Amino acid sequence: MTAERKHTLWLAVVAALAAAVPLATDNDFHLRVLFLIGVNYIAAAGMNVLVGYTGQKSLGHAGLFAVGAYTVALLTARWGWNPWPAFVAAGVMAGIFGVVIALPALRVKGPALAMVTIGFGIVVEKIVSEWQDVFAGQQGIYGVLPLSLGGTMFSSKQWVWFVLLLGVALHVMLRLLLRGRFGRAFMAVNTAEVAAESVGISVYRFKVLAFVISAVTCGLAGALIAQQNQYINSDFITFNLSIFILLMVLFGGHSVYGPLLGAVVLTLLDSFLSRWPGVQHFTYGALLLFALYAMPDGLAGFVRQMARKWAPGLLPAEALPAQLAPWRLRSGTGAETMLLEAQGLYKAYGGVVPTNEVDLSIRAGHVHSLIGPNGAGKTTLLNILSGIVPPDRGSIRFEGRDVTGLAPHRIARAGLGRTFQNLKLFAGMSVLDNVKLGLHAHIPTGFLGSLLGRGGHAERAARDEALQILDWLGLKDKAQEIAGSLPYGVQRRLELARALATHPRLLLLDEPAAGLNPQETQELAQVILRIRDLGITVLLIEHHMDLVMAVSDHVIVLDYGQKIAEGAPAQVQNDPRVIAAYLGADDGTQEEEEEDEEGGAHVQ
């Protein structure tokens, strides 16, 4: 039985058992607790995308809960809407508010983001408390129309079954979304934003999307509370609610199942402690600290760890195809064209000028090396070309198109891939998923298609191509290992595999031999030549001169941010200005230049 069929079977069993529970009791309190578990899960499931997958902390989602609750209250009690369209409108309105908040809020990170969202929650709380004419404050809005079937309002049992149905549908859709290209992109944003941009992922766009998903589910949760109570007032909208929603996600753990575990445990605990509010609030704080520091993987992580230890058959590894066709680049560029041209690139940080009026011409089909002493500005130049650092002035044309100042993800999608001097892998993800992230821009499945499970064929094609790339680099046997657990040299090669998966026409390699032993460096030289033979142009930064001279068709030399020489490797190797830059000689002294030339001095 496949993993998907096992999941479907277990989901059906759990849903059937949950649906049978209301049949065993007529106790309204027990039914209310079951209903609240479902509502809290719906709120936490979307929040999990924002917090658990994208890594953004929000402490103001009570405000979005309020948007949904008051939308459905005003539409039904004041303006006479049918409760079903009003319920849908509540989710839409919360999503709109999510966009409005996310656009400015997500330009900050960490504690600053938390403070912005706290501010939003406080503002909403004050508005619904003080704007009596519209929101009625503590008096509240009565006569909110509940959901109904055939003109008959839902009973307590029907409310439980409805939130169960809604929760199952939400779980299935989010699981499909998070197991595909969108889930990988969310986790990439969480792990390494610069690396995510380098494979064509718009970090800001995915942060906004995650915020909107969490806003919609919180809005729907608020609408459910208002319609089931047929009443809403400002007492529902407190900072404690924001803490509770966040706590369900953190305590439940990073998994699509985490919010369910958190909702079940914390809703039951909340109901038990409701008669002692002081103890209740102390417990929230203690659990939040516990979740953050003592159990960072949450309940889901603990359950997963126990399952791997005692029942490994429940978590089988994905079956991978044994035979694959050789990997082929999807497009190449003619060897006689000028691929990239940069003119007058200048970048200054105060009095430090790492890039000073640099002109650059990269011919397709060649290996170009960028060399120079430490601090010469090589990495800054690569960062400018790849969009990570905008130039103060100058222009860059890639395949005839002006790409000056474009966002890194747009430059990556245009065909410029790169690796980094300091490794930027998605360390907590598998080797296979790291390479799939390189293919992100080439997987055609959109958001709605992923939600509805229509991306299966594209995902399988991406898996197979990722395996082909790994096989091309001799890493296929590492496909299901965690990237961060690999030896350093293998991690270097994995980062190269991820860059190749973007199907670049120009590949920027920033010191790919750093930290490699001599044998690995020799193997790297052969890999670079094979990459060139695929039709990929290479711009290489490297301090290993043996490697540079072995693979380069053209060498460019920087010193103090300025280009001081370029040409064929042998020509540059014996250039007096290059020797002076590396050895510290005074290239203005003719006698020293002549001695160097007579002694056959060259850059080693």
Side-chain angles (χ1 to χ4, degrees), residues 412-430:
R413 285 172 175 258
L416 195 150
R418 69 165 298 173
T419 64
F420 296 87
Q421 181 179 357
N422 298 316
L423 274 171
K424 294 188 185 300
L425 289 176
F426 307 114
M429 301 171 67
S430 71

Side-chain angles (χ1 to χ4, degrees), residues 182-194:
F182 283 84
R184 289 191 298 270
F186 288 136
M187 289 190 288
V189 169
N190 187 0
T191 305
E193 292 186 8
V194 173

Side-chain angles (χ1 to χ4, degrees), residues 19-256:
V21 173
L23 297 175
T25 180
D26 291 318
N27 186 302
D28 282 339
F29 175 75
H30 293 161
L31 293 173
R32 173 72 176 175
V33 171
L34 291 174
F35 171 75
L36 288 176
I37 289 174
V39 171
N40 288 336
Y41 167 71
I42 289 168
M47 187 71 157
N48 185 43
V49 178
L50 180 68
V51 177
Y53 280 79
T54 318
Q56 309 302 305
K57 301 295 187 291
S58 171
L59 291 169
H61 268 56
L64 296 166
F65 182 96
V67 170
Y70 278 95
T71 295
V72 79
L74 292 172
L75 290 177
T76 59
R78 299 277 177 86
W79 299 324
W81 276 45
N82 181 286
W84 286 101
F87 176 70
V88 174
V92 173
M93 185 61 68
I96 292 172
F97 268 79
V99 173
V100 172
I101 302 162
L103 289 176
L106 291 175
R107 295 190 183 278
V108 296
K109 301 178 182 179
L113 173 61
M115 294 303 294
V116 170
T117 55
I118 287 174
F120 168 73
I122 292 174
V123 167
V124 171
E125 183 179 350
K126 289 298 181 183
I127 288 175
V128 298
S129 299
E130 304 296 335
W131 197 353
Q132 298 282 335
D133 293 342
V134 177
F135 301 105
Q138 288 187 327
Q139 179 181 346
I141 300 175
Y142 290 87
V144 180
L145 296 181
L147 298 177
S148 60
L149 285 177
T152 303
M153 296 185 301
F154 280 181
S155 66
S156 296
K157 293 183 179 182
Q158 288 172 326
W159 276 112
V160 174
W161 288 327
F162 177 69
V163 295
L164 174 63
L165 179 63
L166 194 61
V168 169
L170 182 63
H171 167 78
V172 170
M173 288 190 293
L174 287 181
R175 184 174 182 271
L176 290 170
L177 181 75
L178 296 173
R179 284 171 61 87
R181 66 190 292 261
F182 283 84
R184 289 191 298 270
F186 288 136
M187 289 190 288
V189 169
N190 187 0
T191 305
E193 292 186 8
V194 173
E197 292 274 1
S198 77
V199 296
I201 295 170
S202 173
V203 168
Y204 187 59
R205 187 177 301 169
F206 271 88
K207 284 182 178 180
V208 171
L209 177 60
F211 207 101
V212 170
I213 291 171
S214 68
V216 169
T217 60
C218 272
L220 292 177
L224 286 168
I225 290 295
Q227 290 186 295
Q228 201 264 353
N229 288 332
Q230 301 180 49
Y231 168 74
I232 189 70
N233 76 349
S234 60
D235 290 341
F236 285 83
I237 316 304
T238 65
F239 180 65
N240 287 337
L241 177 59
S242 293
I243 293 292
F244 187 76
I245 295 171
L246 178 62
L247 183 57
M248 283 190 290
V249 175
L250 296 177
F251 190 70
H254 171 55
S255 165
V256 290

Side-chain angles (χ1 to χ4, degrees), residues 251-334:
F251 190 70
H254 171 55
S255 165
V256 290
Y257 306 101
L260 177 60
L261 295 173
V264 170
V265 172
L266 293 180
T267 304
L268 292 175
L269 184 63
D270 183 68
S271 300
F272 178 73
L273 297 176
S274 59
R275 67 185 70 181
W276 304 294
V279 176
Q280 187 181 44
H281 296 159
F282 171 80
T283 304
Y284 288 168
L287 283 175
L288 183 58
L289 290 174
F290 180 74
L292 288 173
Y293 295 105
M295 196 171 60
D297 292 332
L299 286 174
F302 175 77
V303 171
R304 185 164 52 245
Q305 184 180 359
M306 291 298 99
R308 285 173 179 166
K309 183 176 181 180
W310 301 106
L314 294 176
L315 300 171
E318 180 186 4
L320 302 178
Q323 299 294 327
L324 293 167
W327 179 61
R328 295 184 182 277
L329 193 67
R330 298 187 184 187
S331 62
T333 305

